[in-house]
Amino acid sequence: MVFNTGAALLDAIVLAVVSRKKEGTYGYKITQEVRQAIAISESTLYPVLRRLQKDGCLDVYDMEFRGRNRRYYKITDQGAAQLELYQTEWKNYVSRISDVLSGNYPIKEEGGR
């Protein structure tokens, strides 16, 4: 993709992916689902997950899977509210950019003329 992915967009994508499963989901699965939208490595994803946890958007718990602990991430109420804000902002952003790219955006002349 030729467009850079900023931290807020990455947070929004991760929160959207995690929110799909009420019981939460684990890191590798999150990586695979996020990769359907953008190219991302696990080394990029895990700091995002830690930051979202620190910010109160995700809860983390461990569960045994085939004799090993697997870390699960679950969206919090605060995370759901943040995701809703991201979704609203994204819709507005996409609409404005689409208008500009399609030539439907009104051009304001300098000096109020």
Side-chain angles (χ1 to χ4, degrees):
M1 178 177 268
V2 293
F3 301 105
N4 288 334
T5 305
L9 181 56
L10 191 52
D11 288 357
I13 293 168
V14 169
L15 288 173
V17 166
V18 173
S19 73
R20 292 181 186 157
K21 298 282 188 182
K22 186 176 181 167
E23 68 279 4
T25 188
Y26 55 97
Y28 178 76
K29 180 96 168 134
I30 296 168
T31 303
Q32 296 308 307
E33 291 187 32
V34 169
R35 282 182 179 159
Q36 293 179 24
I38 59 170
I40 188 172
S41 66
E42 288 183 43
S43 62
T44 300
L45 178 69
Y46 283 98
V48 173
L49 290 168
R50 283 191 295 274
R51 183 179 68 248
L52 289 170
Q53 178 189 4
K54 181 181 167 229
D55 292 347
C57 293
L58 294 177
D59 279 334
V60 177
Y61 64 95
D62 293 332
M63 185 183 302
E64 186 180 335
F65 178 78
R66 296 185 183 171
R68 297 179 62 195
N69 268 345
R70 182 182 274 177
R71 178 146 293 174
Y72 283 79
Y73 300 86
K74 182 178 178 182
I75 196 165
T76 63
D77 290 343
Q78 182 176 335
Q82 184 64 45
L83 175 58
E84 192 173 316
L85 175 66
Y86 283 142
Q87 289 168 328
T88 300
E89 288 293 319
W90 179 253
K91 287 175 189 171
N92 292 333
Y93 178 78
V94 168
S95 176
R96 289 191 312 270
I97 297 300
S98 293
D99 284 348
V100 170
L101 293 177
S102 66
N104 293 328
Y105 196 78
I107 299 173
K108 295 180 182 176
E109 294 183 30
E110 286 189 46
R113 294 181 182 174

